[in-house]
Amino acid sequence: EIVRLKSVVDEAVSSLANTEFLFWVGVLRSDARLDAEAGQLQALQVQSARPLQQARESERRIMELKATRSQVENWLTAERATAQRLHKAVQDGLQDLLRDKAKVRLTLPPGAR
């Protein structure tokens, strides 16, 4: 009876050892699979971060371009005002010259005109 019980106990221990071995093999496989999935998720996270980073960079560049455009518009407005002032000064100077020329003609003797 003891030999039979010892045999049953040995069988149970062996079965338990096999079950524990299979359990740990399953745990290791699951752990490896989880590591692989975590790696894939991390790669996807990096890939999804790129468009977000590119969108932020594009937004920053758009703001820079808008600021540059505003500066150019301000410069053009100032240049336009300067050109208008110069044009007016040239017109005024030309009118002054024509007026002076008319005065000179009037003061010249009739034969010298």
Side-chain angles (χ1 to χ4, degrees):
E1 183 69 27
I2 291 178
V3 171
R4 191 182 67 74
L5 285 174
K6 184 179 180 306
S7 174
V8 168
V9 168
D10 285 345
E11 221 178 285
V13 167
S14 176
S15 176
L16 183 60
N18 284 340
T19 302
E20 186 176 2
F21 173 77
L22 292 176
F23 169 79
W24 285 113
V25 166
V27 166
L28 291 175
R29 284 183 182 164
S30 294
D31 194 42
R33 188 174 62 244
L34 288 174
D35 282 345
E37 288 177 8
Q40 289 172 348
L41 286 174
Q42 194 171 23
L44 287 174
Q45 183 181 15
V46 168
Q47 288 175 354
S48 68
R50 280 191 201 120
L52 181 59
Q53 182 180 3
Q54 289 171 345
R56 286 183 182 146
E57 180 63 25
S58 294
E59 188 175 297
R60 185 189 64 76
R61 184 71 180 128
I62 287 168
M63 296 307 287
E64 286 176 357
L65 290 173
K66 283 182 178 180
T68 301
R69 178 181 177 182
S70 178
Q71 290 171 347
V72 168
E73 286 173 346
N74 291 339
W75 177 80
L76 284 174
T77 300
E79 289 298 308
R80 188 176 301 119
T82 301
Q84 287 172 342
R85 283 193 306 274
L86 287 173
H87 180 70
K88 174 120 174 62
V90 168
Q91 280 184 327
D92 291 347
L94 183 59
Q95 286 177 354
D96 289 345
L97 283 174
L98 291 173
R99 197 172 26 251
D100 290 345
K101 182 179 175 185
K103 285 180 188 177
V104 168
R105 279 189 170 191
L106 288 177
T107 58
L108 289 175
R113 289 186 199 169

